[in-house]
Amino acid sequence: MNTEVPKISDFPVGNENTGYAQYFSGKSWLAPLTGNSDLNVPISNVTFEPGCRNNWHSHTGGQILIAVGGEGYYQERGKQAICMVPGDVIEIAPNVEHWHGAAPDSWFSHLAITCNPETNENTWLDPVTGEQYAEAVKE
């Protein structure tokens, strides 16, 4: 089985996201892109293997996602999922429960921008079930 991550964008893939693996169904990779503390705008490239998604979660300061490679999905709890392709931008308001991840048959990368980083905290919730995921990604 080929475990090499394909090149789907011009951004680095980074390392396997083992620090947050407990909050993902499948493998993901994380590449921090910014680090200047004077600017204080954390941006990372997150890459998901096909079918991988993170748990339901929220951010007290909000988040912005910019799709940069492959095809993925974003869903707010209680709403229809949104298919994401390169160039799509999702603005997530503070404290909105949501998940994001790859389509079943595509690798997916997005830039994750942490809004209001001085006070922004993640709250990780329940996993997205197979049934919820299948319903979200059906055509």
Side-chain angles (χ1 to χ4, degrees), residues 20 30-46 59 61-66 110-122:
Y20 289 89
L30 183 64
L33 301 177
T34 57
N36 184 331
S37 60
D38 292 333
L39 297 176
N40 200 19
V41 181
I43 303 173
S44 294
N45 184 41
V46 184
H59 310 271
Q63 185 179 44
I64 298 171
L65 305 177
I66 302 172
H110 66 54
L111 302 184
I113 302 167
T114 302
C115 303
N116 303 296
E118 299 84 7
T119 58
N120 197 339
E121 294 181 16
N122 288 7

Side-chain angles (χ1 to χ4, degrees), residues 11 63-74 81-92 100-101 108-113:
F11 291 96
Q63 185 179 44
I64 298 171
L65 305 177
I66 302 172
V68 295
E71 182 180 313
Y73 286 86
Y74 165 80
I82 298 168
C83 181
M84 295 181 68
V85 295
D88 288 343
V89 177
I90 303 287
E91 295 177 282
I92 307 164
H100 32 105
F108 178 59
S109 288
H110 66 54
L111 302 184
I113 302 167

